[in-house]
Amino acid sequence: LSTITLERLLAAQRAGRGEASHFITAVEEPELHLHPTAQRSITGHLRQLPGEVLLATHSPFVASGIEPLNYRFMVRSGGRVRVRWLPRRTDPADIRSIKRLILRNRGDMLFARGLILAEGITEEQLLRGMFRVRFGAPPEDFGLSILGVEGKSYEPYLRMAAVMQRPFVVVSDCDG
C-alpha cells in the first residue's frame, strides 16, 4: 500500500508541474507469508498503481486475479530464456474458459511441469487415485497437474500448454 501511495503522490506532483510521468513497478512474489485471501487481494491493489506493473509470482491465488492475456511465461530453452504469451486474437470464449478453470483454484496449472487433461471432475479424481496407486505418490510430487476441463473442449487448455511449452496428455472416453 505504501508503494501505491508514493506513486500516486509522485504522479500528482508531476501532473501539478505539467510533467508527464510513467511508472514501471516490479514486484517479486508479493504473496510470500500471506494468507490465501490476502494473496487474492494483492492484484486489486497492484491494478491501482499508475503505469506498468511487472509481477513475478508462484501463487495460483495471485495468478487468478490477472487476465490470461496479461500472463507472460518465461521458458528456458537451449540456454536462452524466451517470453511467451497467449495470442491477442484468442477467442474470448476460450479466455473465459481458462479464467473459469484458474479461478476455480486450479491456478497450479500455470506452474506445473506437465498437464493431464480429462473431461470433468469425476475423471480428474479417478486419474488422481490411479496415479497414486501406480506411482505411489500424488501427481503434484512429479510437478504434474490433472485438470478436469468440464466438457470436451480441450482447445483453450492445449493452447495454454503450447504457450507455456509444457508437455500434456489428454485422457478421454471418446463419448462424442
Side-chain angles (χ1 to χ4, degrees):
L1 291 174
S2 60
T3 302
I4 295 169
T5 304
L6 176 62
E7 288 191 12
R8 281 186 184 157
L9 245 160
L10 291 171
Q13 184 181 46
R14 292 188 68 118
R17 292 192 307 245
E19 300 172 1
S21 62
H22 187 78
F23 294 96
I24 299 175
T25 304
V27 183
E28 183 176 9
E29 297 190 8
E31 71 276 3
L32 292 178
H33 311 295
L34 291 178
H35 189 276
T37 54
Q39 289 183 33
R40 285 186 196 272
S41 73
I42 286 174
T43 55
H45 293 293
L46 292 175
R47 272 194 223 101
Q48 296 175 19
L49 290 171
E52 299 291 322
V53 176
L54 304 174
L55 170 65
T57 185
H58 286 101
S59 168
F61 300 111
V62 172
S64 71
I66 300 169
E67 290 296 318
L69 288 177
N70 290 328
Y71 292 152
R72 298 296 181 265
F73 301 97
M74 310 294 262
V75 180
R76 189 179 311 265
S77 169
R80 296 176 55 185
V81 175
R82 298 176 190 260
V83 180
R84 301 180 52 91
W85 56 87
L86 284 169
R88 293 281 169 216
R89 66 183 184 281
T90 302
D91 184 347
D94 288 350
I95 295 296
R96 283 191 303 277
S97 183
I98 290 167
K99 279 180 69 171
R100 189 171 45 251
L101 182 70
I102 292 169
L103 284 172
R104 198 186 75 201
N105 291 333
R106 293 317 316 254
D108 61 307
M109 76 169 283
L110 299 172
F111 309 103
R113 290 187 176 153
L115 303 172
I116 301 172
L117 304 174
E119 284 182 28
I121 190 72
T122 305
E123 292 84 1
E124 181 180 334
Q125 291 171 344
L126 179 64
L127 286 169
R128 190 170 303 285
M130 291 170 63
F131 199 95
R132 187 178 286 277
V133 167
R134 172 65 176 96
F135 297 106
E140 293 79 14
D141 284 7
F142 299 91
L144 302 174
S145 284
I146 299 178
L147 306 164
V149 302
E150 299 178 356
K152 295 173 183 41
S153 179
Y154 295 99
E155 187 176 344
Y157 313 105
L158 298 177
R159 185 172 290 119
M160 283 291 290
V163 166
M164 297 185 308
Q165 292 190 332
R166 302 294 193 274
F168 62 87
V169 173
V170 175
V171 179
S172 176
D173 58 10
C174 296
D175 64 352

